[in-house]
Amino acid sequence: MGISNYQMSSVISLLPEVGLLVLAGVVLTMDVLLKDDRKHLIAVTTAVGSLLIILAALMYSQPSGDLIWGGMVRDDMLAFVFRLAFIFAGGITAMFSIGSKELAHRGDYYAIMLGAVIGMCFMASAADLIMLYLAIETTGIAGYLLAGYVRTDDRSAEAGLKYFLFGAATSAVMLYGFSLLYGLTGETNLGAIAPILASGTVSVSAICAIVVLILVGVGFKIAIVPFHFWAPDVYEGAPSPVTGFISTASKTAGFAVLLRVFIYGLAASEYWLPAMAGLAAVTMTFGNLVALAQTNIKRLLAYSSVAHAGYVLVAFVAYSELGVASAIFYLIAYVVTNLAAFGVVIVFAHTAGTDDIQQYAGMSRRSPYLALAMLVAFLSLAGMPPLAGFFAKFYVFAAAVKADMIWLAFVGVLNAIVGLYYYLVVLKVVYVSPAPDGVGSIDIPATCKIALVVLSLGIILIGTASSPWFNWAMKAAQDLF
Amino acid sequence: MVIMEMSEMLTWLVPAPPLISFFVIILFTSRHRSMSHLVALFAMGLSLLFSWVIVFNALSTDHFGEHPIASDVGWLPTGDTVLRMGVAVDPLTIVMLTFVPLACFLIILYSVGYSNFGKGRDQRDISGSPPHHGVEPMYSRFFAFLSLFAGAMLVLTVADNLLLLFFGWEIMGLCSYLLIGFWYGRTYDDKFQITPSGAAVKAFMTTRLADVIMLIGIAYLYFEAGTLNFREIFFNEEIMKHLLESPSLIGGMAAAHFIGLLIFAGTVGKSAQFPLHVWLPDAMEGPTPVSAMIHAAAMVSAGVYMVIRMFPLLNSGGHGSPALTVMAFVGAFTALFAATIAVAQNDVKRVLAYSTISQLGYMIAALGIGAYVAAAFHLMTHAFFKALLFMGSGSIIHGVEHGMHQTNDKLDPQDMLNMGGLAKRMPTTYWTFVIGGFSLAGFPFVTAGFWSKDEILADAFAHGHWWVFVVLLISAFLTAFYTMRQISLTFLGDARTESAAKAHESAWTMTLPLVVLSFFAVFAGYVGVHMDFPVLGAMLGSNPFEHFVIGSLPHHISGFEFEWTPVIFSVVAGISGLFLGWLVYGRRPLVIGQQDPLVKVLGPLYGVFANKYYFDELYNVVLVRPVKWISEVVAFKWIDRVLIDGALHSVANLTMKIGSVAVWFEKWGIDYAPDKFGDGVRFSGQSFRVIQSGRVQDYLNITLSAVVVIGAILFVILR
């Protein structure tokens, strides 16, 4: 795996990113040219474009496993799988954005989101500290803009500002960690750093400091305890499509960095594992317990997504091929499932104009199909067979048990039970509580309908036929070991 | 080769259409009646087509048994190993694919007429009760459930491993619950008569008990063999040897036989063998197409199919394995036991229900004495004639209900004493019912039932299983007798009620399936005539059925020489039973108010038969009430209160409240305790909210402090 120079193949392996850039340009042009009543086409274009990029990537950009572009980017299966997931999430989010009155017809919004997707793609493939930091910041800045996009809404503006302040602070801390790493090893390439750390020339306490500092930045992205404080406020305040996007794609991108940096770059220093195991247990427990008390569906999903980050950490600390594969599988399942959950929230708010869980009463009578989509998504989040979430948890706990982390698997299973409770409470409101008088049926925009069908089928398919997906994740995991 | 590949793909597709049709009906067409049944019929027709293409391909392949269709995919990767799921078609599966989809298709077609399609909604009808004279209120739901049922049965049929088979098995269990209790709102004046919802619970609980034992068997098998794939186990000498040689939990019995017995327990439940037969007659509370589905095409066949499938395991180590002996005993006993009960039943469907139990006993007994082919043969012929009889009885009931609608009488439309003389009113139903009945009775040389039953008897005779032979022979005689009794009481003589006199023939959607099935009830038997049978044997291709089906086994089992003695016995049993039935009931049909002549002849025994040997009452006293008592008194009062709450409440407090168990339990056990627990968890949740103040400065303070703490901890640990 040498460093190949600027060849045609290097360009082709960046096809998705190039495509996204072109798409962003198209979207901006459409924004200028289209009349206001045709602007919903922008969202459709974004979604169709994303789909085409995914198809093109599958056909032409199969990863070679090489370091390309002067060692900045590693063109491997791990990056490939994550990039496809981000583009998928971007496309779906565009479709859901139609359901948000403030976002639906704003071309620049879609362009910024595509910019965020490009940043995430590079987060997944970056093999060099400099590239990595650029990618994280690209994603981050686009994210801050998206969260605060609805300037007329105080909550959105506040969310954007909080997200930015918190992000900037943690980013600075992480950058300090990067600089220490460079200072002590003289290298910025993760592949070159690993052997130096393994040789033992860097003192343990220095590595310890580096680990903690980098963890701050990554922990912010993936929203694990105690770096999660921004999440509930931002999730609640940001426009729902953006929340869905941040809670799935952005979190997954953070995990891509976590896997890449900690397992590929800091491989020789496994002693951070116990601390990570502790964080995993605390994150799961804290996220689930607090979620119990929520009355706003977006806050509930925020804390539930904190808990889910904890489950993925369990797989991460199993620290094996199986563990990484199950983490990747979990993230794929989680992206699809949580997007579906937020899709339901968006569609419901589109008609009902509220995120209050009590207002969901009787939704099954107001729109049986929407309620069904919610049932599928929430049962999958709760980890019910035969849906994606069940198999994701199954693999994660299996990896933990195989790695002799039985106590952690046990904590995870207990947490899954707590989780089940609050997901079912929401479903109870939807299916059992009678609808308040005078409410009508729920109108589902066509693009949202398509997206919900795709996601629901995806949840069922990833669950019932988990094998091909898991094999994919397994192949990706092998790139790290 | 191309043909094989096509068959392989089709095998995957066989169960798909009905399963998809279930979701399509539930999700999209639930408000359109004709769309719903069209979707169900189209899907089932597609399955039928796929199945028969596979059957045709298999039959035209030489030595199909040596090159069965098999295809699987990795389903659940578990690190080092992968749990594989797949489909396989061997000759035994071909037998199932011949009749299961056909019967299911006809049942769904029949349901169109049975649910009064084409008539308007009767204003008196409410969901959950049988319709008075209008269309079924939950029409679409019925077809959705039937589709799911058929799909599950087909999954079970093509499964290549026990786990997938078990999935289909359990979905069928669910469907039987949903369908038996389809008219969940129905109640009776007689509070001792079981209601549909009660029958559904009973069927579900009884089969569940058996399924748990079966699941233990499956787990045990996986533990010992490392796989659940049928072919991988049966055709692997090493695994079979290991299973046969490892001792089981019960001393002296090989693991193979013990596992076989555990799995056989599943069949005892599903195929209603003694002592778990009690649910099946009550399952008659469901709509009649459901009875046909459960008792002919799908559920009970599934139980027998599964043990036939497991035969190599049960038979390992040669004849006389303890598992087979148990099966022979249970099967033969059930055959006789149920036949005696059937003799004294007056409900037209209940006669058939006990007859089903009895015939399933035949199959189990056949398998128990090693008559593998005969068991499969009887499974097939029985499915045809029993589906025919059930649907015929549904047609009869429909006819009488039609009469009731005209006369406004209130009577039991299923009681045969209320019938009589229907032959003139419902000719198609009459003739097809006679064909089905004679096939069940084993009318010699013409009907399918004769050939398959004769094969079982001949095998028992040839291999010297005397007591099985005798017991089954007596059952055969009784079968013929109660069949003739049923035909006479229902169709012959004059109508005993006004309603019966006004009955009329059912719609074509109901009679067409009867006609199709009567064809098979006659001709399906000719594929399995013993090769040495004079004239017929050679003419019909020297028993093609046996040559074909035997290919499913890893080791060929020995056939038997043709002998006249068992044939004569079985001819005599069938004919004499029918004749005696005719003498008693047919020659001078009962008139209004006349008592059943059997009551006098049998004396007190009649009461025993009519009350099914009081098994329901026995189980009620021995099982149901103790279980209720245990759950109420031991589980609620002692375990819940003393052990769990005991730490919180004093014993004195407890004794004070013993007098008001119900109230106490209601308030504390159910309502209060879980709420209290929930409050506790929610309280701790709320206390976390204090730190979620909403001020970003606080967040950063906490986060960065945490970083310092984590860093310090790591630093200390590493030192």
Side-chain angles (χ1 to χ4, degrees), chain B residues 331-333 335-336 362 457 466-476:
Chain B
F333 179 77
L336 180 62
Y362 263 87
L457 290 170
W466 293 111
W467 61 272
V468 174
F469 179 75
V470 171
V471 170
L472 292 187
L473 203 61
I474 299 171
S475 316

Side-chain angles (χ1 to χ4, degrees), chain B residues 208-548:
Chain B
R208 201 81 357 217
L209 179 71
D211 291 351
V212 170
I213 303 174
M214 175 178 166
L215 191 59
I216 295 171
I218 294 176
Y220 194 178
L221 182 62
Y222 187 72
F223 177 73
E224 290 289 346
T227 172
L228 288 174
N229 184 298
F230 299 124
R231 240 182 142 70
E232 277 173 24
I233 297 173
F234 303 148
F235 283 74
N236 187 327
E237 294 285 337
E238 223 168 279
I239 292 180
M240 288 303 280
K241 198 160 159 253
H242 171 75
L243 284 171
L244 195 58
E245 282 172 2
S246 31
S248 67
L249 304 174
I250 289 181
M253 199 190 275
H257 299 148
F258 185 60
I259 293 167
L261 272 183
L262 288 173
I263 293 178
F264 173 62
T267 298
V268 171
K270 212 64 153 185
S271 294
Q273 294 299 290
F274 179 84
L276 296 182
H277 62 281
V278 286
W279 65 270
L280 192 141
D282 291 333
M284 295 298 131
E285 290 298 322
T288 303
V290 174
S291 310
M293 195 75 139
I294 293 178
H295 304 321
M299 204 156 116
V300 295
S301 301
V304 176
Y305 166 74
M306 201 229 353
V307 273
I308 298 181
R309 182 53 79 206
M310 300 306 290
F311 182 73
L313 183 74
L314 294 158
N315 190 39
S316 58
H319 273 301
S321 89
L324 286 183
T325 312
V326 170
M327 282 171 61
F329 177 77
V330 170
F333 179 77
T334 308
L336 180 62
F337 166 81
T340 56
I341 298 178
V343 165
Q345 296 299 313
N346 289 333
D347 183 310
V348 65
K349 276 170 82 182
R350 272 179 199 262
V351 175
L352 295 175
Y354 281 103
S355 146
T356 304
I357 298 176
S358 165
Q359 295 301 308
L360 293 167
Y362 263 87
M363 300 171 209
I364 299 296
L367 209 59
I369 57 171
Y372 178 84
V373 176
F377 190 29
H378 198 55
L379 177 64
M380 181 178 77
T381 59
H382 174 258
F384 286 127
F385 64 69
K386 193 49 69 66
L388 168 59
L389 287 172
F390 268 115
M391 292 206 254
S393 75
S395 178
I396 295 168
I397 297 165
H398 231 64
V400 176
E401 278 175 348
H402 179 84
M404 279 167 60
H405 184 68
Q406 304 221 314
T407 59
N408 281 325
D409 274 354
K410 279 224 176 288
L411 47 83
D412 182 359
Q414 307 197 7
D415 191 339
M416 295 192 293
L417 296 178
N418 291 334
M419 299 177 188
L422 291 178
K424 280 159 272 170
R425 310 286 311 173
M426 314 176 72
T428 316
T429 306
Y430 170 56
W431 284 110
T432 50
F433 198 91
V434 167
I435 293 171
F438 274 42
S439 196
L440 168 64
F443 189 79
F445 310 128
V446 182
T447 59
F450 169 76
W451 294 111
S452 54
K453 207 178 281 185
D454 177 59
E455 176 132 342
I456 294 175
L457 290 170
D459 200 304
F461 185 84
H463 289 113
H465 298 284
W466 293 111
W467 61 272
V468 174
F469 179 75
V470 171
V471 170
L472 292 187
L473 203 61
I474 299 171
S475 316
F477 168 78
L478 287 172
T479 307
F481 176 76
Y482 69 67
T483 306
M484 197 62 208
R485 173 178 180 265
Q486 185 176 28
I487 292 173
S488 307
L489 282 178
T490 318
F491 291 105
L492 302 186
D494 294 318
R496 284 184 292 276
T497 56
E498 273 295 296
S499 303
K502 291 227 163 60
H504 85 133
E505 187 59 283
S506 305
W508 71 268
T509 46
M510 292 174 75
T511 49
L512 178 69
L514 299 179
V515 175
V516 174
L517 282 173
S518 31
F519 173 83
F520 286 97
V522 173
F523 292 101
Y526 292 127
V527 298
V529 177
H530 196 283
M531 55 195 279
D532 295 329
F533 198 88
V535 190
L536 284 176
M539 199 171 83
L540 296 166
S542 305
N543 201 348
F545 187 84
E546 175 171 359
H547 290 295
F548 185 69

